Amino acid sequence: MKAIVCTKYGPPEVLQLQDREKPMPRDHEVLIRVHSATVTAGDCGLRSLAFPLPVQLFIRIVFGFRRPRKKILGQELSGEIEAIGKAVTRFKQGDQVFAWAGLGAYAEYACLPENGALVIKPSNTTYEETATLAVCGLDVAYLLRRGKIQSGQKVLINGAGGSMGTFAVQLAKCLGAEVTAVDSTEKLDMLRAIGADQVIDYTQEDFSKNGQTYDVIFDVTGAKTFLQGGRSLKENGRYLLANPRLSQQILGRRNGKQVIAWKARSTSEYTEDFNFIKAFLEAGKIRPVIDRRYPLEQIAEAHRYAESGQKKGNIVITV
């Protein structure tokens, strides 16, 4: 099979197209013919190691010192189950699915455990759209669900123009919120088009200093500390963190305001997050935003664009 191999840590050019042996599913695994994958910030970070030295060292210890031990990157995928292990009961051959692969999505085939983060694809979404749900879409669902958004509440989304942010704008609107979206100048028209009630250009205005307050703030970027962004929360407000630093993960409740940080979760919770948004997806009220599509062979160009800061929504890889 064709696959993209990360030959070492470094710039996008370290990603090379190679022939690899097609995997075979074990007893409790399914073999997926991959139709689409994505490029996320996490994929770019693991490839480049563009982190502070302590974080770099941690990643090298966990994933491999000179290069990733699992050389095929890519977290999100969608595709069709081509074969199943003899003990599989949840899925059957021909099922259309999407999944968090951990690693391994940048290939024509991937084997995943049937009890992993694997879900049947909504019938009215394309493979390209569905691939974007596996990490970003369901992480947004997890955080907004815990944020307990009520109809009429004011929600601010900082970093609204990316993969998670565009999904968060739409889901918050589905929940009845009045949404303010914060991002750069060139993304504001797109944010209005997907439903944002107000937009803030962060290059011209700092939302944490303009005096406006919100019931919920969803900080996708992690660019603000809680002490900065929390000033814009109402009493008993919730501050949602998609990419929390270690210090932010242990904040809990401060001055009556709750800090809710992303965390890893079980397969059952993953399924709950999907069920939470399934009706909105099937009704067409949420449509993943896709900025660019690249064939597998152009993965380096896709990573380069992802790191440019210009992308609006998601970058999809067609396999």
Side-chain angles (χ1 to χ4, degrees):
M1 70 173 183
K2 300 292 185 184
I4 298 296
V5 173
C6 185
T7 57
K8 60 182 179 180
Y9 298 117
E13 289 73 24
V14 304
L15 299 173
Q16 299 292 320
L17 182 68
Q18 296 184 8
D19 287 314
R20 310 286 285 189
E21 185 177 355
K22 181 180 175 180
M24 297 295 292
R26 298 175 182 174
D27 288 354
H28 290 279
E29 289 183 336
V30 299
L31 174 67
I32 300 171
R33 170 69 172 93
V34 179
H35 286 256
S36 297
T38 67
V39 176
T40 67
D43 299 324
C44 294
L46 180 56
R47 186 216 75 236
S48 66
L49 283 191
F51 299 107
L53 285 175
V55 179
Q56 286 188 34
L57 178 60
F58 174 78
I59 291 174
R60 289 181 189 273
I61 291 171
V62 173
F63 291 98
F65 197 77
R66 294 186 176 180
R67 63 185 66 84
R69 281 184 287 271
K70 189 168 183 180
K71 297 178 176 61
I72 301 174
L73 305 186
Q75 299 181 71
E76 297 179 304
L77 65 81
S78 65
E80 183 176 339
I81 294 179
E82 184 171 289
I84 62 173
K86 63 183 181 181
V88 170
T89 59
R90 289 184 61 216
F91 301 96
K92 65 182 184 300
Q93 185 177 356
D95 280 346
Q96 298 178 348
V97 296
F98 68 97
W100 175 70
L103 292 173
Y106 294 165
E108 291 180 315
Y109 291 91
C111 280
L112 296 175
E114 69 161 333
N115 62 350
L118 184 64
V119 179
I120 295 291
K121 182 179 82 68
S123 59
N124 66 327
T125 57
T126 66
Y127 281 116
E128 292 180 343
E129 291 173 330
T130 309
T132 70
L133 300 176
V135 175
C136 295
L138 294 189
D139 282 352
V140 167
Y142 167 76
L143 285 165
L144 291 190
R145 193 159 62 95
R146 294 185 72 202
K148 300 178 180 178
I149 294 171
Q150 303 295 315
S151 180
Q153 288 187 327
K154 296 177 67 176
V155 175
L156 179 136
I157 300 167
N158 187 33
S163 304
M164 296 185 76
T166 50
F167 198 86
V169 169
Q170 296 178 78
L171 182 54
K173 287 297 296 179
C174 287
L175 297 174
E178 178 185 325
V179 176
T180 297
V182 181
D183 216 298
S184 56
T185 311
E186 63 274 10
K187 300 181 183 181
L188 301 186
D189 287 342
M190 178 270 293
L191 291 169
R192 293 187 185 97
I194 63 173
D197 298 288
Q198 289 90 33
V199 295
I200 294 176
D201 183 346
Y202 76 80
T203 68
Q204 304 295 321
E205 181 182 351
D206 186 339
F207 79 84
S208 68
K209 297 179 179 178
N210 64 11
Q212 298 296 313
T213 57
Y214 304 88
D215 299 284
V216 176
I217 293 176
F218 183 7
D219 191 348
V220 178
T221 66
K224 296 285 186 185
T225 67
F226 176 71
L227 291 177
Q228 294 170 325
R231 291 193 295 252
S232 298
L233 270 183
K234 295 180 180 179
E235 187 176 355
N236 297 317
R238 280 89 64 204
Y239 199 82
L240 313 180
L241 289 162
N243 295 286
R245 305 171 189 142
L246 179 60
S247 60
Q248 294 172 319
Q249 289 178 319
I250 60 176
L251 283 175
R253 184 176 289 274
R254 297 282 295 273
N255 300 322
K257 302 171 183 180
Q258 187 176 5
V259 180
I260 301 171
W262 177 92
K263 67 175 183 178
R265 53 205 189 274
S266 67
T267 300
S268 62
E269 289 176 303
Y270 186 93
T271 303
E272 288 174 10
D273 294 330
F274 174 65
N275 289 336
F276 179 66
I277 60 173
K278 183 178 180 181
F280 299 130
L281 288 164
E282 292 181 340
K285 294 182 178 180
I286 298 174
R287 304 300 299 189
V289 176
I290 298 175
D291 184 350
R292 293 189 182 183
R293 298 164 173 84
Y294 293 85
L296 187 64
E297 296 80 3
Q298 294 180 12
I299 195 76
E301 288 82 356
H303 269 240
R304 191 174 297 109
Y305 181 62
E307 292 177 320
S308 71
Q310 300 175 26
K311 79 179 182 77
K312 302 171 184 177
N314 298 273
I315 297 174
V316 169
I317 303 300
T318 56
V319 182

Coordinates of all heavy atoms in Angstrom, one line a residue, residues 1-9 11-21 47 67-74 106-107 296 299-300:
M1 N 0.8 -1.2 0.0 CA 0.0 0.0 0.0 C 0.9 1.2 0.0 O 2.0 1.2 0.4 CB -0.9 0.0 1.2 CG -0.2 0.3 2.5 SD -1.3 0.5 3.9 CE -0.1 0.8 5.3
K2 N 0.3 2.4 -0.4 CA 1.0 3.7 -0.4 C 0.8 4.3 1.0 O -0.3 4.2 1.6 CB 0.5 4.6 -1.5 CG 0.6 4.1 -2.9 CD 2.1 4.0 -3.3 CE 2.2 3.6 -4.7 NZ 3.6 3.5 -5.1
A3 N 1.8 4.9 1.5 CA 1.7 5.5 2.9 C 2.7 6.6 2.9 O 3.7 6.6 2.2 CB 2.0 4.5 4.0
I4 N 2.4 7.6 3.8 CA 3.4 8.7 4.1 C 4.1 8.4 5.3 O 3.6 8.2 6.4 CB 2.6 10.0 4.2 CG1 1.9 10.4 2.9 CG2 3.6 11.1 4.6 CD1 2.7 10.6 1.7
V5 N 5.5 8.3 5.2 CA 6.3 8.0 6.3 C 7.1 9.2 6.8 O 7.6 10.0 6.0 CB 7.3 6.9 5.8 CG1 8.4 6.6 6.9 CG2 6.6 5.6 5.5
C6 N 7.1 9.4 8.1 CA 7.9 10.5 8.7 C 9.3 9.9 8.9 O 9.5 9.2 9.8 CB 7.2 10.9 10.0 SG 8.0 12.3 10.8
T7 N 10.2 10.4 8.1 CA 11.6 9.8 8.1 C 12.4 10.3 9.3 O 13.4 9.7 9.8 CB 12.3 10.1 6.8 OG1 12.3 11.6 6.6 CG2 11.6 9.5 5.6
K8 N 12.1 11.5 9.8 CA 12.7 12.1 11.0 C 11.9 13.3 11.4 O 11.0 13.7 10.7 CB 14.2 12.5 10.7 CG 14.3 13.5 9.6 CD 15.8 13.8 9.3 CE 15.9 14.8 8.2 NZ 17.4 15.1 7.9
Y9 N 12.2 13.9 12.6 CA 11.6 15.1 13.0 C 12.1 16.3 12.1 O 13.3 16.3 11.9 CB 11.8 15.4 14.4 CG 11.2 14.3 15.4 CD1 12.0 13.6 16.2 CD2 9.8 14.1 15.4 CE1 11.5 12.6 17.0 CE2 9.3 13.1 16.2 CZ 10.1 12.4 17.0 OH 9.6 11.4 17.9
P11 N 11.1 19.6 9.0 CA 10.1 20.4 8.2 C 9.2 19.4 7.4 O 9.4 18.2 7.4 CB 11.1 21.2 7.2 CG 12.3 20.3 7.2 CD 12.5 19.7 8.5
P12 N 8.3 20.0 6.6 CA 7.3 19.1 5.9 C 8.0 18.1 5.0 O 7.4 17.0 4.7 CB 6.5 20.1 5.2 CG 6.5 21.3 6.0 CD 7.8 21.4 6.6
E13 N 9.2 18.4 4.5 CA 9.8 17.6 3.5 C 10.3 16.2 4.1 O 10.6 15.3 3.3 CB 11.0 18.3 2.9 CG 10.7 19.4 2.0 CD 10.2 20.6 2.7 OE1 10.5 20.8 3.9 OE2 9.5 21.4 2.0
V14 N 10.2 16.1 5.4 CA 10.6 14.8 6.0 C 9.5 13.7 5.8 O 9.7 12.5 6.0 CB 10.9 14.9 7.5 CG1 12.0 15.9 7.8 CG2 9.7 15.2 8.3
L15 N 8.3 14.2 5.3 CA 7.2 13.2 5.0 C 7.4 12.7 3.6 O 7.4 13.5 2.6 CB 5.9 14.0 5.2 CG 5.6 14.5 6.5 CD1 4.3 15.4 6.5 CD2 5.4 13.4 7.6
Q16 N 7.6 11.4 3.5 CA 7.9 10.8 2.2 C 6.9 9.7 1.9 O 6.5 8.9 2.7 CB 9.3 10.2 2.2 CG 10.4 11.2 2.5 CD 10.6 12.1 1.4 OE1 10.6 11.7 0.2 NE2 10.9 13.4 1.7
L17 N 6.5 9.7 0.6 CA 5.6 8.6 0.1 C 6.4 7.3 -0.1 O 7.4 7.3 -0.8 CB 4.9 9.1 -1.2 CG 3.9 8.1 -1.8 CD1 2.7 8.0 -1.0 CD2 3.6 8.5 -3.2
Q18 N 5.9 6.3 0.5 CA 6.6 5.0 0.4 C 5.6 3.8 0.2 O 4.4 4.0 0.5 CB 7.5 4.7 1.6 CG 8.6 5.7 1.8 CD 9.5 5.3 3.0 OE1 9.3 4.2 3.6 NE2 10.4 6.2 3.4
D19 N 6.1 2.7 -0.3 CA 5.3 1.5 -0.3 C 5.5 0.7 1.0 O 6.6 0.5 1.4 CB 5.7 0.6 -1.5 CG 5.3 1.2 -2.8 OD1 4.1 1.5 -2.9 OD2 6.1 1.2 -3.8
R20 N 4.4 0.4 1.6 CA 4.5 -0.3 2.9 C 3.6 -1.6 2.8 O 2.7 -1.7 2.0 CB 4.0 0.5 4.1 CG 4.6 1.9 4.2 CD 6.0 1.8 4.7 NE 6.1 1.6 6.1 CZ 7.2 1.7 6.8 NH1 8.3 1.9 6.3 NH2 7.1 1.4 8.1
E21 N 3.8 -2.6 3.6 CA 3.0 -3.8 3.6 C 1.6 -3.5 4.1 O 1.4 -2.8 5.1 CB 3.7 -4.8 4.5 CG 3.0 -6.2 4.5 CD 3.7 -7.2 5.3 OE1 4.8 -6.9 5.9 OE2 3.1 -8.3 5.4
R47 N 5.4 16.1 13.9 CA 6.4 16.1 12.8 C 7.5 17.0 13.1 O 8.7 16.7 12.9 CB 5.7 16.4 11.5 CG 6.5 16.2 10.3 CD 6.2 17.3 9.2 NE 6.8 18.6 9.6 CZ 6.0 19.7 9.7 NH1 4.7 19.7 9.5 NH2 6.6 20.8 10.0
R67 N 13.1 9.8 15.6 CA 12.0 9.9 14.7 C 10.9 9.1 15.3 O 11.1 8.3 16.3 CB 12.3 9.2 13.3 CG 12.7 7.8 13.4 CD 13.1 7.2 12.1 NE 14.4 7.7 11.6 CZ 15.6 7.3 12.0 NH1 15.6 6.3 12.9 NH2 16.6 7.8 11.6
P68 N 9.6 9.4 14.9 CA 8.5 8.6 15.5 C 8.7 7.1 15.3 O 9.0 6.7 14.2 CB 7.3 9.2 14.8 CG 7.7 10.5 14.3 CD 9.1 10.4 14.0
R69 N 8.5 6.4 16.4 CA 8.6 4.9 16.3 C 7.5 4.4 15.3 O 7.7 3.5 14.5 CB 8.4 4.2 17.6 CG 9.7 4.2 18.5 CD 9.6 3.5 19.7 NE 8.7 4.2 20.7 CZ 9.2 5.1 21.6 NH1 10.5 5.3 21.6 NH2 8.4 5.7 22.4
K70 N 6.3 5.0 15.4 CA 5.2 4.7 14.5 C 5.3 5.7 13.4 O 4.9 6.9 13.6 CB 3.8 4.7 15.1 CG 2.7 4.2 14.2 CD 1.4 4.0 15.0 CE 0.4 3.4 14.1 NZ -0.9 3.1 14.8
K71 N 5.9 5.4 12.3 CA 6.3 6.3 11.3 C 5.2 6.9 10.4 O 5.4 7.9 9.7 CB 7.4 5.7 10.4 CG 8.6 5.3 11.1 CD 9.7 4.6 10.2 CE 10.9 4.3 11.0 NZ 10.7 3.3 12.1
I72 N 4.0 6.3 10.4 CA 2.9 6.8 9.6 C 2.1 7.7 10.5 O 1.5 7.2 11.5 CB 2.1 5.7 9.0 CG1 2.9 4.8 8.1 CG2 0.9 6.3 8.2 CD1 2.2 3.6 7.6
L73 N 2.1 9.0 10.2 CA 1.3 10.0 11.1 C -0.1 10.1 10.6 O -0.6 9.3 9.8 CB 2.0 11.3 11.0 CG 3.5 11.4 11.4 CD1 4.0 12.8 11.4 CD2 3.8 10.7 12.7
G74 N -0.8 11.0 11.2 CA -2.2 11.3 10.8 C -3.2 10.7 11.9 O -3.1 9.5 12.2
Y106 N -2.3 8.5 7.5 CA -1.8 8.8 6.2 C -1.3 7.6 5.4 O -0.2 7.4 5.1 CB -0.5 9.8 6.4 CG -0.8 11.1 7.0 CD1 0.2 11.9 7.5 CD2 -2.1 11.6 7.1 CE1 0.0 13.1 8.1 CE2 -2.3 12.9 7.7 CZ -1.3 13.6 8.1 OH -1.5 14.8 8.7
A107 N -2.3 6.8 5.1 CA -2.0 5.5 4.3 C -3.3 5.1 3.7 O -4.4 5.5 4.0 CB -1.5 4.5 5.3
L296 N -2.8 12.5 -1.3 CA -1.8 11.9 -0.4 C -0.4 12.3 -0.8 O 0.5 12.6 0.1 CB -2.0 10.4 -0.3 CG -1.2 9.7 0.8 CD1 -1.6 10.1 2.2 CD2 -1.3 8.2 0.6
I299 N 1.3 15.7 0.7 CA 1.2 15.9 2.1 C 2.1 16.9 2.7 O 1.7 17.7 3.6 CB 1.4 14.5 2.9 CG1 0.9 14.6 4.3 CG2 2.8 14.1 2.8 CD1 -0.6 14.5 4.5
A300 N 3.3 17.1 2.1 CA 4.2 18.1 2.6 C 3.6 19.5 2.3 O 3.7 20.4 3.2 CB 5.6 17.9 1.9

